[in-house]
Amino acid sequence: MRSVVTRNKVIAEFVSKVLKAFSQNRTGPSIDDILYTERLKCAFCRGTGMNGKYVKCSVCGGSGHNEVRRPTLTCAYCRGNGRDMGGLTCPVCRGRGVVSVTEPVQRCPRCGGIGRNRTGRLYCLNCEGKGVVSARDSK
Ligand SMILES: [Zn+2]
Ligand SMILES: [Zn+2]
Ligand SMILES: [Zn+2]
């Protein structure tokens, strides 16, 4: 009985230590990152977790969901499908269907918000296919 109590105490101390280190580590994921992370249905496999019948979805690792940092926007390049025109993983959102942005944002002046360059085949390099750019950077 005593050993169980000791063990629980050790675990509790360990958890509090980890949480403390986690909240103090500014370069790594912070508590804010957890709060601002959204669990979204995987666009690539539409939440099934499978790519085809027998292969696990490589985007979400088979879970059917992806963790995405908020605020998020629907990916302009694939319009949220998670796939490019060839049916492969969208290079902009990596198959998630959404992209993380840093507010404030404005419509990309080069592509007009469609996230594609003039040929329509490649993603717009100015906004990296997101269709929006940081409103701060342009000033
Ligand atoms: Zn998936
Ligand atoms: Zn995309
Ligand atoms: Zn653009």
Side-chain angles (χ1 to χ4, degrees):
M1 198 57 192
R2 190 188 283 166
S3 68
V4 173
V5 173
T6 318
R7 213 175 143 195
N8 283 345
K9 206 183 160 203
V10 168
I11 292 169
E13 273 170 6
F14 176 72
V15 168
S16 74
K17 222 184 252 179
V18 169
L19 284 176
K20 221 175 174 186
F22 208 49
S23 60
Q24 282 170 352
N25 185 3
R26 297 211 173 162
T27 51
S30 65
I31 296 297
D32 283 348
D33 286 330
I34 298 168
L35 290 176
Y36 286 101
T37 301
E38 213 167 355
R39 201 158 174 268
L40 295 170
K41 197 162 125 180
C42 178
F44 194 76
C45 64
R46 294 188 171 86
T48 63
M50 300 298 285
N51 184 12
K53 249 187 180 174
Y54 306 106
V55 186
K56 259 191 200 173
C57 172
S58 58
V59 175
C60 60
S63 71
H65 291 88
N66 292 308
E67 308 268 332
V68 190
R69 202 188 190 296
R70 293 200 289 180
T72 57
L73 279 179
T74 302
C75 175
Y77 184 77
C78 66
R79 295 198 185 97
N81 290 321
R83 293 165 192 263
D84 68 7
M85 281 178 295
L88 298 171
T89 313
C90 171
V92 175
C93 61
R94 296 195 196 93
R96 294 166 172 178
V98 292
V99 289
S100 303
V101 294
T102 309
E103 285 184 316
V105 291
Q106 63 179 26
R107 192 182 291 265
C108 172
R110 196 183 288 184
C111 65
I114 60 167
R116 292 174 185 272
N117 71 3
R118 275 184 202 157
T119 67
R121 292 193 160 271
L122 293 168
Y123 63 84
C124 170
L125 289 175
N126 192 47
C127 60
E128 294 171 320
K130 294 179 180 180
V132 295
V133 289
S134 170
R136 261 187 217 134
D137 290 351
S138 63
K139 274 177 191 165

